[in-house]
Amino acid sequence: GDVYKRQQLTLFRIAQEALINIKKHAQASNVVIKLEAGASKATMTITDNGKGFEVPRPLNDLSSTDKLGLLGMQERAQLLRGTLNIQSELGKGTAITVEIPLKC
């Protein structure tokens, strides 16, 4: 139904924003998008081998940085009661994990 379509579109938009960010900033030669759906949640992981960056802690501080693309991704995930986690290490790439609950 509509909820399922909204979940699909949100995950697509988050992946799209991640790819835009990677193209603009990461200087990566490899990107992997992995999507897993279980009984109760969907998990999407986007990893790259780019230059990485320092992740603001807490993530709520994204709004005070130039990382508005990441903030938008986080807000999209939260609209579906989901979470967005960012792990990045300078010189070693970035992994973005989005988890959203699936409605039965």
Side-chain angles (χ1 to χ4, degrees):
D2 287 345
V3 171
Y4 181 66
K5 283 181 185 171
R6 195 164 65 238
Q7 289 171 333
Q8 280 186 316
L9 183 60
T10 298
L11 287 172
F12 173 77
R13 293 286 185 220
I14 290 171
Q16 188 177 42
E17 185 63 48
L19 291 173
I20 289 168
N21 285 347
I22 291 165
K23 186 174 185 213
K24 272 190 197 169
H25 306 294
Q27 298 169 359
S29 62
N30 191 40
V31 180
V32 176
I33 300 176
K34 185 170 147 188
L35 183 60
E36 296 176 295
S40 61
K41 69 178 180 179
T43 305
M44 180 172 66
T45 309
I46 303 152
T47 53
D48 70 65
N49 66 347
K51 64 182 184 177
F53 62 95
E54 198 169 314
V55 180
R57 296 284 180 223
L59 266 185
N60 296 341
D61 288 349
L62 283 170
S63 58
S64 63
T65 69
D66 61 351
K67 310 259 187 298
L68 294 179
L70 294 174
L71 181 65
M73 292 161 56
Q74 183 184 43
E75 288 172 349
R76 285 182 191 274
Q78 287 172 343
L79 284 173
L80 295 178
R81 296 183 299 116
T83 59
L84 181 119
N85 184 48
I86 303 166
Q87 291 180 299
S88 189
E89 200 173 332
L90 290 175
K92 295 193 176 177
T94 302
I96 295 171
T97 305
V98 184
E99 280 190 2
I100 60 165
L102 293 176
K103 292 199 166 78
C104 298

